[in-house]
């Protein structure tokens, strides 16, 4: 299966949490995949102008959650096949929180909104510490403007920096409470939601963006232990990259 994504960064398989989530799910379920990097920010072939997407017999299929649902139907569902209706409903709600809420306050805020974070992020996007030419820099800054506009339109970007941080803390506290002393997010058995939880944590706690949210996650020992447990169980380790 070809996964169309961006590129790796720091300790994550892709700089996009959504692409990373799909890759982590494939590792957890043993699905073979091939990464097909796409240019940033030029995504002319991407359905909905978003990544990831895959190729199927019916054409391109976008959205990490839609792709995972497709894989469950066509390949099998080794993680959630025996989950109860209540578990499935809870996982649906947690996924929505991570994808539609935690993502904005925990990923967009430090990388795209903050100038210091953007300066760190640009060479990661380019996969090089070499100076960025003015034409390329202009394109990247234009792409940033679009992301920040989406951030504001979503509503999170209307909050102050401190309000965004407090919002993020609330989400992290919810994750800590749900995890408790369980080995995996829903209990003794790993579930598909673990792909999303592991991904959002590694995209915040291990990201090279200096902000209070990263420090807050780093202070949660249960979350750090969870990351280590997931890595050991499913071989979720990629070469560390820095620029």
């Amino acid at each position: 299966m070809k996964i169309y994504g961006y590129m790796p960064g720091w300790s994550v398989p892709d700089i996009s949490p959504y692409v990373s989530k799909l890759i982590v799910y494939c590792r957890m379920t043993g699905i073979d995949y091939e990464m097909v990097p796409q240019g940033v920010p030029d995504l002319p072939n991407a359905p909905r102008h978003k990544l990831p997407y895959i190729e199927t017999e019916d054409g391109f299929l976008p959205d990490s959650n839609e792709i995972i649902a497709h894989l469950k139907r066509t390949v099998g569902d080794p993680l959630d096949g025996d989950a109860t209706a209540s578990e499935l409903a809870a996982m649906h709600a947690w996924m929505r929180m991570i994808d539609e809420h935690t993502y904005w306050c925990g990923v967009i805020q430090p990388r795209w909104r903050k100038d210091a974070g953007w300066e760190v992020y640009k060479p990661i996007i380019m996969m090089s510490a070499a100076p960025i030419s003015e034409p390329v820099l202009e394109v990247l800054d234009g792409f940033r403007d679009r992301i920040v506009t989406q951030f504001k339109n979503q509503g999170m970007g209307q909050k102050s920096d401190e309000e965004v941080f407090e919002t993020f803390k609330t989400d992290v506290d919810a994750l800590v409470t749900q995890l408790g002393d369980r080995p995996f997010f829903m209990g003794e058995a790993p579930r598909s939601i673990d792909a999303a939880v592991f991904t959002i944590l590694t995209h915040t706690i291990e990201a090279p963006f200096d902000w209070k949210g990263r420090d807050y996650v780093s202070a949660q020992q249960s979350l750090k232990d969870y990351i280590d447990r997931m890595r050991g169980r499913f071989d979720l380790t990629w070469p560390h990259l820095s620029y």
Side-chain angles (χ1 to χ4, degrees), residues 101-102 105-106 109 113 156 159-174 211-213 216:
H101 196 265
T102 316
C105 56
Q109 169 75 8
R113 185 190 205 183
M156 192 69 68
K159 297 183 178 184
S160 68
D161 291 346
E162 186 62 28
E163 288 172 328
V164 173
F165 170 62
E166 291 297 327
T167 300
F168 179 70
K169 281 177 59 179
T170 302
D171 283 7
V172 173
D173 290 345
W211 78 299
K212 293 193 298 184
Y216 190 74

Side-chain angles (χ1 to χ4, degrees), residues 10-208:
W10 57 97
S11 61
V12 295
D14 194 279
I15 60 173
S16 162
Y18 303 112
V19 179
S20 288
K21 177 176 67 178
L22 176 58
I23 293 171
V24 170
Y25 178 83
C26 289
R27 285 280 184 97
M28 292 177 69
T29 54
I31 296 173
D32 291 333
Y33 64 89
E34 174 189 349
M35 283 300 301
V36 184
Q38 302 296 287
V40 177
D42 186 22
L43 302 173
N45 297 319
R48 304 176 194 161
H49 303 287
K50 299 285 187 178
L51 297 175
Y53 67 92
I54 65 170
E55 294 182 68
T56 72
E57 293 181 353
D58 298 321
F60 292 141
L61 177 64
D63 192 286
S64 58
N65 291 327
E66 292 180 30
I67 295 170
I68 289 172
H70 168 78
L71 294 174
K72 288 181 177 182
R73 291 191 302 269
T74 58
V75 181
D77 191 3
L79 297 177
D80 300 340
D82 63 345
T84 66
S86 178
E87 282 183 302
L88 292 172
M91 287 191 286
H92 174 81
W94 283 113
M95 188 73 76
R96 285 291 182 265
M97 185 194 84
I98 292 169
D99 282 354
E100 308 296 343
H101 196 265
T102 316
Y103 166 77
W104 290 100
C105 56
V107 173
I108 299 301
Q109 169 75 8
R111 299 186 199 181
W112 297 93
R113 185 190 205 183
K114 304 301 293 178
D115 290 340
W118 177 237
E119 291 304 313
V120 171
Y121 200 33
K122 283 187 290 188
I124 295 173
I125 293 174
M126 299 304 297
M127 299 188 71
S128 173
I132 302 173
S133 68
E134 285 300 324
V136 173
L137 186 60
E138 184 176 344
V139 172
L140 288 176
D141 285 341
F143 191 57
R144 181 199 185 191
D145 289 342
R146 293 199 295 273
I147 296 296
V148 173
T149 297
Q150 293 173 11
F151 187 48
K152 292 178 179 178
N153 291 340
Q154 191 270 349
M156 192 69 68
Q158 302 293 342
K159 297 183 178 184
S160 68
D161 291 346
E162 186 62 28
E163 288 172 328
V164 173
F165 170 62
E166 291 297 327
T167 300
F168 179 70
K169 281 177 59 179
T170 302
D171 283 7
V172 173
D173 290 345
L175 295 174
V176 170
T177 299
Q178 167 62 22
L179 179 62
D181 59 359
R182 302 175 178 90
F184 299 102
F185 194 66
M186 298 300 294
E188 295 298 320
R191 300 294 191 191
S192 62
I193 188 64
D194 285 292
V197 176
F198 174 86
T199 293
I200 198 65
L201 292 178
T202 52
H203 273 258
T204 54
I205 192 174
E206 298 177 356

